[in-house]
Amino acid sequence: MAEERVKRRLAAILAADVVGYSRLMGEDEAGTLTAMKAHHSELIEPAIAEHDGRVVKLMGDGTLAEFASVFDAVQCAQEIQQGMAERNAEVPEDRRIEFRIGINLGDVIVEGDDIYGDGVNVAARLEGLAEPRGICISGTVHDAIGKKLAVRFESMGEQRVKNIEQPVRVYRLLGPRPLPEALPREAGRGEPSVPSQRGNPSLAIKPFDNVSGDPDQDHFAEGLTTGIVVALTKMPRLTLVGDESPAMSKSKQMTVQELGGRFDVTFVLKGGVRQMGGRIRVTAELIEVSTGRYLWAERFDREFRGLGDLFDIQDQITEEIVTALDVKLLSGEAARIVRKTFSNPEALECYYHGEQLLWRATTKLELQDAQRQFEETIRLEPTCSVGYAIAAVAYWMEAFSGLSEKPSRILDRAVELARQALRLEDVMGYSHLVLAHVSLSRRQYDEAAAEADRAVSARPSCPASFSLKASVLNYLGRPAEAIEYAQYAVRLTPVHPPMYPAILATVYHGAERHEEAIAAAKAAIQIDERNLDPYLVLAASSVALEHSDEARWAAQRVLSLQSDFSLEDFARSQPYKEQKHLDGFIAQLKDAGLG
């Protein structure tokens, strides 16, 4: 008898899974099952049918569906996630049922009503890579869609996934995400809250181009961009969404539409700088992303006698932007932030050179070069707060980078400079960041909390201030409150260093939201595989979820990155206010194999 021929077909496969299903069932089995049945019958199954799909199977917390079209599969996934967001709006956060979805286009083996094979397996692995409420697609889906759907994707590179021989190209779907609501102030505390972005204009800045053709003039364009960023970071009721790659290199390569889409902003500012002998020309354009309409454009032609003239132009551009966006400023004053406190052009020159060195520094020598520039700024302009504030940051970065042989002495200098900047009415807000972090490391909890609040108030579009506030709250034993601050920091930096998702992972872990902690830790690792902190969170949260293989793998990565890693030394470095929070973390790390 001839062997029966295996039936195959090409299909778009959607795999969905509930985040934290075991926890939800453990806390309220009957309520979870009732809610799941309602979500399936009222949302998921109708959405699949509406998009000409077929439910292949339901597996407790999972759903597998197939579609003839990738377009239908992606649109169905979006509809499900949007519908779940609406259904969860009135549900307490710890009782919300949230899905992760993976979509693949591939060959499947058909057996009756069931399908299986690598095409299905890849979809399941993609679902595991997605963030809670997120959607991940394979490269084959991305290629098939092209630009035919009004959706945006971000590449996650090639990923190696379990039981699949070849790496899989992965993209995550970007789109409007729920914006953080303002946190209520606690009675009597007067704490600043996470800003609500609803109704606020949001802006991204494309770094100003050097259009002179002379690479030596790059620092003029970079200085102008940095100055405007510093000014607008402090503006209330304006959400400045930024790029923290070195010299903003990522956003330099993007078009206005790409910036608007990737950063999810309403407006983009771009421009160019040209120096011609003794004159300088700056052009600036403020563009509404959705329409491509120029909201405001201006050209500034000036005699150029030094950096003071560049600062004057920077002031005018900042004020024009604020006026064009109709943003009400603090005390109704114009946005004069850094510049007018300087009167010595040489001090300005040192400040600019120091900033360029600081934000690109990767070694102790580079940090010390920046420190010398700022110390010279202070010497030339001793009554200007800016030199002290930025110098405090430079010393603080050296102490906490692990590059300093005498971190305590370096931190003392950072604190001294920060306090002097405040005495001179620090216009940058950096001093509060430095003092909050140093106070936390020294277990001065009340001072750390107060300075973190001041940092958020002084720099309302600064991701570092919100991330630091999240860390302080977590160490004070208030991780649930910390989450929205950490989420907001990530929101403000679509191109971000690993620090922000790593801190988000830490606060998720502190709040015992381990699925989300693992997702955030993996996001940080993807940015920088050498960063130790997210591996520690990954190990601890994997232990909490009884994912022993992943816990051991994360622990081995810690030891491969730092062969002399000591759990005792790590415990001493963690400034938790209550010992019980530290003890739980350390116990999980021991169980992962780090004890």
Side-chain angles (χ1 to χ4, degrees):
M1 182 171 149
E3 185 177 340
E4 185 177 346
R5 180 173 171 270
V6 175
K7 293 179 62 177
R8 296 178 180 270
R9 64 170 171 252
L10 185 68
I13 306 101
L14 182 153
D17 179 68
V18 176
V19 177
Y21 183 71
S22 298
R23 176 185 63 80
L24 291 166
M25 288 290 284
E27 293 177 358
D28 182 5
E29 181 177 297
T32 300
L33 288 173
T34 299
M36 283 290 294
K37 288 178 182 177
H39 293 322
H40 272 290
S41 63
E42 297 168 13
L43 172 64
I44 296 171
E45 291 176 37
I48 292 170
E50 182 182 341
H51 291 279
D52 297 323
R54 179 179 74 90
V55 176
V56 177
K57 64 179 77 172
L58 302 176
M59 304 160 286
D61 63 334
T63 302
L64 184 69
E66 70 165 332
F67 300 79
S69 161
V70 289
F71 301 97
D72 286 329
V74 172
Q75 289 175 321
C76 179
Q78 288 180 286
E79 188 173 312
I80 290 171
Q81 295 293 39
Q82 180 60 40
M84 288 304 302
E86 293 168 1
R87 295 168 77 89
N88 280 326
E90 303 300 324
V91 178
E93 189 171 333
D94 64 344
R95 297 305 308 154
R96 291 176 182 173
I97 292 176
E98 296 176 328
F99 288 92
R100 293 178 296 207
I101 297 177
I103 302 172
N104 182 40
L105 174 64
D107 189 59
V108 299
I109 300 171
V110 182
E111 189 172 277
D113 290 333
D114 204 357
I115 57 174
Y116 57 97
D118 281 353
V120 176
N121 294 339
V122 169
R125 301 295 177 248
L126 291 168
E127 168 266 303
L129 292 172
E131 297 175 350
R133 305 178 300 280
I135 301 168
C136 277
I137 66 173
S138 65
T140 55
V141 173
H142 182 265
D143 295 344
I145 288 175
K147 297 182 179 180
K148 297 171 187 175
L149 285 180
V151 291
R152 307 188 310 276
F153 301 96
E154 178 182 48
S155 173
M156 296 173 64
E158 290 191 339
Q159 302 283 329
R160 288 201 168 274
V161 296
K162 187 177 179 181
N163 295 334
I164 302 298
E165 184 177 351
Q166 296 298 322
V168 178
R169 284 188 298 129
V170 181
Y171 295 80
R172 64 172 179 166
L173 190 67
L174 299 176
R177 294 184 178 180
L179 299 176
E181 295 288 348
L183 292 173
R185 294 173 183 265
E186 293 185 23
R189 291 182 63 90
E191 279 194 5
S193 61
V194 177
S196 171
Q197 294 172 298
R198 293 178 180 173
N200 284 2
S202 54
L203 174 71
I205 297 179
K206 180 175 171 61
F208 277 52
D209 293 322
N210 168 23
V211 294
S212 66
D214 180 1
D216 291 339
Q217 303 302 322
D218 284 349
H219 68 285
F220 287 110
E222 290 179 12
L224 181 65
T225 304
T226 301
I228 293 172
V229 168
V230 168
L232 293 179
T233 294
K234 293 175 64 68
M235 296 300 100
R237 293 186 56 235
L238 171 66
T239 302
L240 183 67
V241 183
D243 167 6
E244 293 208 352
S245 62
M248 294 182 276
S249 59
K250 297 287 187 183
S251 54
K252 276 183 181 177
Q253 300 166 16
M254 297 182 191
T255 66
V256 167
Q257 291 302 317
E258 288 170 339
L259 267 173
R262 173 74 182 275
F263 287 19
D264 196 16
V265 293
T266 313
F267 304 103
V268 169
L269 175 73
K270 71 183 186 79
V273 181
R274 180 194 299 270
Q275 187 182 1
M276 303 162 288
R279 296 190 64 81
I280 189 170
R281 170 175 292 177
V282 176
T283 58
E285 299 164 341
L286 186 64
I287 301 165
E288 187 176 46
V289 174
S290 61
T291 64
R293 180 171 63 96
Y294 284 74
L295 187 67
W296 164 81
E298 189 61 81
R299 186 178 74 187
F300 301 85
D301 285 305
R302 297 291 163 76
E303 289 187 9
F304 186 72
R305 297 176 298 274
L307 287 174
D309 294 324
L310 191 64
F311 267 62
D312 286 337
I313 296 169
Q314 169 192 306
D315 285 346
Q316 291 184 32
I317 291 174
T318 304
E319 291 180 31
E320 292 278 7
I321 294 165
V322 167
T323 302
L325 292 176
D326 192 26
V327 178
K328 182 179 179 181
L329 302 184
L330 285 169
S331 307
E333 296 180 358
R336 294 181 172 91
I337 302 300
V338 175
R339 49 322 151 261
K340 294 299 181 185
T341 51
F342 279 111
S343 59
N344 187 324
E346 292 181 60
L348 276 173
E349 184 84 32
C350 290
Y351 165 75
Y352 264 148
H353 285 310
E355 271 221 324
Q356 286 182 307
L357 290 166
L358 178 63
W359 303 126
R360 297 180 181 182
T362 57
T363 68
K364 179 180 177 180
L365 288 177
E366 289 169 337
L367 279 172
Q368 290 177 337
D369 284 343
Q371 291 164 8
R372 281 190 285 273
Q373 291 290 334
F374 297 138
E375 292 283 8
E376 184 65 6
T377 302
I378 293 168
R379 187 188 70 79
L380 293 167
E381 195 84 66
T383 60
C384 172
S385 68
V386 173
Y388 296 94
I390 194 68
V393 172
Y395 284 101
W396 169 54
M397 287 174 65
E398 181 187 345
F400 282 103
S401 66
L403 299 173
S404 176
E405 296 174 1
K406 298 180 179 179
S408 179
R409 182 177 63 82
I410 295 296
L411 278 184
D412 287 342
R413 178 59 175 156
V415 169
E416 176 190 356
L417 289 162
R419 289 180 174 156
Q420 180 60 22
L422 290 175
R423 284 191 286 269
L424 294 170
E425 299 183 358
D426 178 17
V427 296
M428 301 182 80
Y430 285 149
S431 300
H432 299 303
L433 285 168
V434 172
L435 293 174
H437 198 181
V438 174
S439 298
L440 180 63
S441 71
R442 293 175 174 176
R443 275 69 169 175
Q444 298 164 344
Y445 297 110
D446 290 343
E447 186 174 347
E451 290 294 346
D453 289 347
R454 293 179 188 124
V456 168
S457 297
R459 298 177 61 80
S461 277
C462 174
S465 64
F466 285 92
S467 193
L468 178 60
K469 170 73 173 175
S471 280
V472 170
L473 286 171
N474 186 57
Y475 283 115
L476 290 177
R478 294 155 58 190
E481 296 173 56
I483 288 170
E484 290 197 67
Y485 288 94
Q487 289 174 332
Y488 195 71
V490 173
R491 160 71 181 104
L492 288 172
T493 50
V495 178
H496 46 245
M499 174 181 74
Y500 300 125
I503 289 175
L504 179 59
T506 301
V507 299
Y508 274 140
H509 171 268
E512 298 184 2
R513 290 169 57 171
H514 297 296
E515 294 273 4
E516 290 155 299
I518 287 171
K522 288 180 177 178
I525 290 166
Q526 186 180 346
I527 298 168
D528 183 0
E529 294 182 347
R530 300 162 300 172
N531 187 13
L532 204 68
D533 292 341
Y535 289 107
L536 294 168
V537 173
L538 179 58
S541 283
S542 295
V543 165
L545 294 177
E546 299 182 357
H547 297 170
S548 55
D549 288 345
E550 189 159 48
R552 284 194 295 271
W553 176 84
Q556 286 302 313
R557 287 293 296 156
V558 170
L559 296 174
S560 67
L561 290 167
Q562 186 177 324
S563 58
D564 61 346
F565 177 82
S566 161
L567 203 54
E568 291 75 18
D569 290 345
F570 173 74
R572 282 193 290 271
S573 74
Q574 298 302 293
Y576 284 95
K577 186 175 183 180
E578 296 185 31
Q579 186 66 29
K580 64 180 181 181
H581 296 128
L582 177 59
D583 289 345
F585 192 10
I586 296 302
Q588 289 170 336
L589 294 176
K590 283 183 178 178
D591 288 346
L594 287 169

